[in-house]
Every structure is written in structure tokens, then in C-alpha cells.
Amino acid sequence: MQEHIVVLTGAGISAESGLSTFRDNGGLWEQHSVYDVATPEAFERNRDLVLRFYNERRRQLLSVQPNPAHRLLAELENRYRVTVVTQNVDDLHERGGSSNVIHLHGELSKARSSVNPELIYDIGYSDIKPGDTCDLGAQLRPHIVWFGEEVPMLDAAAEVVRTADQLLIVGTSLQVYPAAGLVYEVDIDVPITVIDPGEPASVSRARVIRKGASDGLNEWVRMLG
């Protein structure tokens, strides 16, 4: 049976492709507070602003490409069973070649019903406009897990982490819960490696590679042999 490598990724891996992150901008994303664009209350208060914001993010996503870190993770599938559990809402892992990706916080290239979260639609890089509706006639919204909402893929991700033979953490400070809690689901004897150029949250017994995603992954792959 192939060794199972589970990879937890965060904004740091997409930053190398040129995508902005909240934490890099003091809690702002393209000059918007998270409370203006990333909560259910914001959508109720100013639907047009929220839709416009995510339409811009979708256009930005179309303009960038997967970077060497994304491609390195995809190449691991030639030798290992690999599952990527990402906090990112972009599709760069898929475009980089990864075939098994769990998106904890939703997907920018999808829309969903504002009244039934199970009605999800692939929209690619198209805009969601006011008046665009689901099959029930309700306004479509971005398929994003906003602050204050449940993380529907969390249980599935936890199950995957429990089956890991190695846990690799790339480009996340492990400060955002509940996603950060996944590291505690791994078996006690499973090796953990953290790749992050900053000061990631302390993970007991983890090996830390203080480099960017691409350089750090190259170093880690060399260690694998």
C-alpha cells in the first residue's frame, strides 16, 4: 500500500502566485475589512459590495498561475498517495495537477444558493450578479465559508488526517481555527513537517523548515530521497 502524505496548505502557498492574503495586510484584503466582505451579515447589509469583491477575486485568480510549490505537490502523486487539505479558496492546487483536494473554506469558482447551502454550481471565473438565482429562485452567493459559518468539510478532513503516514503543513501559520486543530488529529507516531518562512504556531515534535513554500518543499522532497 502506498504511503499516504496529507498536506495542509494555507495562504502562503498561493502568495507565491501573487494572490493577496488577509494576514499580510493587517486584517485587510484589498483594502476591505473581513467584516465588510466575509461574513453573512455583510452579505445581508451590502450584497452588491460582497458580490463585486468576489467577482474581482475571481478575475484576479484567472490572471495568476500555479507556482512550483503547487506542481511539486502534484508530482508527489507519482510516488505516494497524496491528499491536499487546503484553507485556500483558489483552484491553484487543481490547476497545478493535484487530483485529491479538500477545500475547507469553499471554492471561489463555485456559487451556491443563499437559502440552501447544498445547491452548489460551478461558475468558473464568471461574475455572480445581483439577480442571479438558484433553482429555488434565491440569490446566488459565493461558495465561501465566511467568518461565523460552520466548516462543512472539517469532519471529512479530520478523517483524512487520521489516515496520514506523514503530515506536511505548508504556508499556514496554524492560527485560524477550526482548521488549525486538524494537526491534533494525526497519530502520535506520524512525522510532521512545517514549511513556513515566519514563526508558525508551535506544533509538538514537528520539524520546521523556515523557507517559502517552493524552496521549503524542494528541501523536504530531497529529504524524502
Side-chain angles (χ1 to χ4, degrees):
M1 184 180 294
Q2 282 185 310
E3 185 175 4
H4 187 198
I5 297 176
V6 177
V7 191
L8 304 182
T9 70
I13 196 169
S14 294
E16 291 190 11
S17 291
L19 292 181
S20 301
T21 71
F22 275 120
R23 292 190 179 277
D24 287 344
N25 294 283
L28 297 176
W29 193 1
E30 301 294 329
Q31 305 309 309
H32 291 285
S33 163
V34 298
Y35 300 107
D36 293 333
V37 295
T39 67
E41 294 78 15
F43 189 66
E44 292 181 11
R45 185 171 60 246
N46 194 337
R47 178 192 63 185
D48 291 1
L49 170 64
V50 174
L51 292 180
R52 185 166 65 249
F53 175 81
Y54 287 97
N55 291 340
E56 291 170 356
R57 302 286 70 71
R58 222 171 279 112
R59 284 192 285 273
Q60 182 190 29
L61 178 55
L62 182 60
S63 73
V64 302
Q65 298 298 324
N67 62 59
H70 294 108
R71 292 190 287 272
L72 274 169
L73 290 180
E75 289 168 8
L76 284 175
E77 295 186 16
N78 294 326
R79 293 189 288 160
Y80 305 96
R81 176 186 168 207
V82 180
T83 305
V84 176
V85 178
T86 186
Q87 298 176 69
N88 301 333
V89 299
D90 59 65
D91 61 355
L92 294 177
H93 281 299
E94 289 89 345
R95 284 161 58 190
S98 289
S99 63
N100 191 11
V101 183
I102 296 174
H103 286 269
L104 286 174
H105 295 157
E107 298 178 68
L108 196 54
S109 60
K110 295 182 179 180
R112 76 170 188 248
S113 168
S114 56
V115 297
N116 183 345
E118 295 185 3
L119 287 177
I120 301 167
Y121 305 87
D122 287 305
I123 60 170
Y125 307 102
S126 301
D127 288 354
I128 303 174
K129 302 180 183 68
D132 288 347
T133 58
C134 69
D135 293 344
L136 299 176
Q139 173 67 45
L140 288 176
R141 55 161 277 181
H143 180 46
I144 304 294
V145 177
W146 285 327
F147 289 91
E149 294 185 321
E150 292 185 2
V151 181
M153 296 303 295
L154 188 63
D155 288 345
E159 284 188 24
V160 165
V161 171
R162 293 183 199 117
T163 68
D165 296 304
Q166 289 204 50
L167 181 65
L168 180 62
I169 301 166
V170 185
T172 173
S173 60
L174 297 174
Q175 295 177 5
V176 177
Y177 281 84
L182 288 171
V183 70
Y184 302 109
E185 299 289 342
V186 74
D187 283 348
I188 192 66
D189 58 344
V190 170
I192 302 173
T193 304
V194 177
I195 298 173
D196 195 284
E199 291 287 340
S202 177
V203 178
S204 176
R205 68 187 173 79
R207 174 176 57 191
V208 179
I209 300 175
R210 285 193 170 84
K211 293 185 177 181
S214 297
D215 290 343
L217 271 169
N218 268 312
E219 180 174 322
W220 181 78
V221 168
R222 286 196 299 270
M223 293 176 184
L224 285 179

